[in-house]
Amino acid sequence: MLEGLALDQNEKEMLEHIVQQMETERGLDRAAAMADMRFRFIQRVCDETVVKPQESKEHLRSRKIDQVLTGKYTAIPVFVLIMALVFWLTFNVIGAWLSDLLELFIGWLTDLADAGLTALEVNEALHSLIIDGVFSGVGSVLSFLPIIVTLFLFLSLLEDSGYMARVAFVMDKLLRKIGLSGRSIVPMLIGFGCTVPGVMACRTLPSDRDRKMTILLTPFMSCSAKLPIYAFFTAAFFPKNGALVMVGLYFFGILVSILMALLMKGSLFKGEAVPFVMELPNYRMPSVKNVAQLLWEKAKDFLERAFTVIFLATIIIWFLQSFDFRLNMVTDAQDSILAAIAGVIAPIFKPLGFGDWRISTALISGFLAKESVVSTLSILLPTTEALSSILTPLSALALLVFCLLYTPCVAAIASIRRELGGRWAAYVVVGQCVIAWVAALLVRTVGLLLGFV
């Protein structure tokens, strides 16, 4: 556009000075300031020419609520408080209680099956497969279903009430500072549920630059598949501070994504984000039908994964840890095929405090599906005491940070490859593993310096 005006250098510098002055006075970047001026002009014209009926009660109520929920000084603190309350209710009250009940039921069912198989004198290998593989592996993952459903109950209530649209509006100014527009918050929020639809949702972004950046940042959001991992380790090592650890992990993932966005903005994706304009809906009571449908879809997706990918991964892990290279059943898992394979990469994690071959195995299985980390550890380390024998609270925290940041699952990588190509997908796998390793090392080092163990 500037080239078409054929301006000389002095005129260009004068225009740039005027634009910078406008940004300073309005507290907005040039794109947002131009949009603001256009809409203010439209508002003045409408005020002078359009005769409006009396303001509806819904709109009046929404404007009053927005004075707090989207206020200049209250929006971010209120958002943090709302999310902290959601996590507390999910992981310390409702979800935790329901999860404990389901875990008791699965334990009773496991004992019943174990007694039945013993009475029938079933073959030792088959007995081990059913009890140690299927029930211990898949059952341990299923016990976290109530937590996932509870979390998405609250998130769907916020979405259907109209609050999540306000979150996108509030975050626009912050996202612009890291090179993105408010539109990018929607795929990222979806990424908290699952990375795959989060990546797919980036197709709606009008700018190719914003789309690529958002796709690369979405895997840093903590997807629901990681919830069983968080719940598993917090229950074992941080039972009194579960909600705090959960909130910390979520916000740490957001912090890392911000740092990566700033790095990308100054290197791979230079330029400005496109302007963001959206209409905020009135607040409304959430629809029971919409909420129930979303919960059913999430529960169905989780159960399908539990009885397909996770089930297959569980059987593979059971086989590898039950047999040696001569296909003889082993009495000690240390002599198994799995121990030999995982032992090769275990030294990589030794500086992080979890250089045990069983942890390495769980991380490898997590590449198939993040829930498989829990099912694998439930097979290899069936008791809390066994887990505590190889991990300290500090190394468990470092492991949680690693699980938060390392490569997303195969399905997510396939989605990224479909959207951006194989080179970018490979970058995500390698890059996130490196970032996760460095972050976990940083957490452990800081913990040791502060005297934690």
Side-chain angles (χ1 to χ4, degrees):
M1 185 182 293
L2 285 175
E3 287 74 12
L5 297 175
L7 301 175
D8 60 33
Q9 188 61 32
N10 289 334
E11 291 171 328
K12 290 180 180 179
E13 291 177 357
M14 183 181 297
L15 281 176
E16 181 63 26
H17 176 73
I18 294 171
V19 171
Q20 291 179 357
Q21 186 176 2
M22 175 192 69
E23 290 178 326
T24 302
E25 292 176 353
R26 291 181 171 271
L28 300 169
D29 61 49
R30 59 195 66 191
M34 290 294 291
D36 181 62
M37 286 188 288
R38 289 193 186 102
F39 278 90
R40 285 180 181 273
F41 174 76
I42 293 171
Q43 184 65 47
R44 286 199 304 270
V45 172
C46 290
D47 289 342
E48 295 173 2
T49 58
V50 177
V51 178
K52 295 182 179 179
Q54 186 176 1
E55 185 178 16
S56 67
K57 292 182 180 179
E58 292 80 8
H59 189 258
L60 179 61
R61 181 176 63 243
S62 296
R63 284 203 300 111
K64 289 182 178 179
I65 296 174
D66 277 340
Q67 290 176 0
V68 176
L69 296 187
T70 63
K72 183 176 181 181
Y73 301 106
T74 57
I76 300 298
V78 167
F79 172 66
V80 173
L81 286 174
I82 288 175
M83 296 310 298
L85 178 62
V86 166
F87 287 129
W88 180 73
L89 290 174
T90 299
F91 299 108
N92 287 64
V93 186
I94 302 172
W97 178 71
L98 293 173
S99 182
D100 288 342
L101 286 180
L102 183 57
E103 190 173 357
L104 287 174
F105 173 74
I106 293 173
W108 172 80
L109 197 62
T110 303
D111 293 339
L112 188 65
D114 190 16
L117 292 172
T118 302
L120 293 172
E121 298 182 351
V122 173
N123 177 271
E124 181 185 357
L126 182 59
H127 189 153
S128 175
L129 170 62
I130 295 173
I131 300 301
D132 300 328
V134 177
F135 276 91
S136 296
V138 178
S140 62
V141 174
L142 286 179
S143 66
F144 296 108
L145 177 62
I147 290 178
I148 293 172
V149 171
T150 303
L151 177 61
F152 276 98
L153 169 64
F154 290 120
L155 292 180
S156 59
L157 290 174
L158 293 174
E159 173 69 35
D160 214 41
S161 68
Y163 178 65
M164 283 304 184
R166 268 78 181 176
V167 173
F169 167 75
V170 168
M171 293 296 177
D172 181 61
K173 189 173 181 179
L174 293 176
L175 288 175
R176 284 189 172 279
K177 293 181 180 179
I178 62 174
L180 295 171
S181 76
R183 286 187 179 89
S184 296
I185 196 67
V186 176
M188 289 182 176
L189 288 175
I190 294 173
F192 281 113
C194 179
T195 303
V196 175
V199 170
M200 302 296 287
C202 294
R203 292 179 177 179
T204 61
L205 301 179
S207 165
D208 186 62
R209 171 191 172 278
D210 289 5
R211 185 177 68 87
K212 288 181 178 178
M213 276 190 71
T214 307
I215 288 174
L216 295 177
L217 295 175
T218 298
F220 289 107
M221 304 300 108
S222 235
C223 70
S224 61
K226 297 175 185 177
L227 287 178
I229 305 175
Y230 303 162
F232 180 78
F233 283 103
T234 52
F237 294 96
F238 315 103
K240 296 181 180 179
N241 300 297
L244 181 62
V245 172
M246 296 285 187
V247 173
L249 287 169
Y250 273 79
F251 279 97
F252 187 71
I254 294 171
L255 175 62
V256 172
S257 70
I258 290 173
L259 295 176
M260 290 303 300
L262 291 173
L263 181 63
M264 292 179 189
K265 179 184 177 183
S267 56
L268 297 173
F269 302 104
K270 295 181 179 180
E272 295 294 330
V274 297
F276 173 56
V277 178
M278 71 175 298
E279 181 179 354
L280 297 179
N282 291 332
Y283 288 101
R284 59 187 179 274
M285 288 296 294
S287 165
V288 175
K289 180 180 178 182
N290 291 342
V291 172
Q293 183 177 359
L294 178 62
L295 291 183
W296 166 245
E297 289 175 354
K298 292 300 178 183
K300 181 182 176 184
D301 177 65
F302 182 81
L303 291 172
E304 286 177 350
R305 289 165 66 87
F307 288 105
T308 54
V309 177
I310 299 171
F311 179 76
L312 179 62
T314 297
I315 291 178
I316 292 173
I317 294 299
W318 168 84
F319 175 81
L320 293 177
Q321 68 100 25
S322 299
F323 293 87
D324 60 20
F325 285 102
R326 295 180 179 179
L327 299 183
N328 296 315
M329 283 198 75
V330 297
T331 55
D332 187 352
Q334 187 72 39
D335 303 322
S336 66
I337 301 172
L338 189 61
I341 296 172
V344 175
I345 67 169
I348 298 174
F349 303 112
K350 191 172 183 179
L352 310 182
F354 45 90
D356 189 274
W357 66 271
R358 288 161 288 194
I359 301 296
S360 303
T361 302
L363 293 175
I364 293 171
S365 67
F367 185 57
L368 297 175
K370 287 293 178 279
E371 301 96 333
S372 296
V373 172
V374 174
S375 61
T376 301
L377 288 176
S378 298
I379 296 172
L380 301 177
L381 299 164
T383 64
T384 302
E385 291 73 19
L387 185 65
S388 300
S389 67
I390 63 170
L391 291 175
T392 65
L394 179 57
S395 57
L397 184 60
L399 178 56
L400 279 171
V401 170
F402 188 88
C403 291
L404 163 70
L405 298 175
Y406 90 114
T407 176
C409 66
V410 172
I413 292 299
S415 299
I416 294 171
R417 182 180 180 276
R418 186 165 55 246
E419 297 296 318
L420 299 181
R423 183 171 64 90
W424 284 108
Y427 162 78
V428 169
V429 173
V430 176
Q432 288 203 205
C433 285
V434 172
I435 292 168
W437 193 93
V438 172
L441 179 63
L442 181 63
V443 167
R444 186 164 188 267
T445 302
V446 172
L448 291 174
L449 291 175
L450 295 177
F452 297 131
V453 294

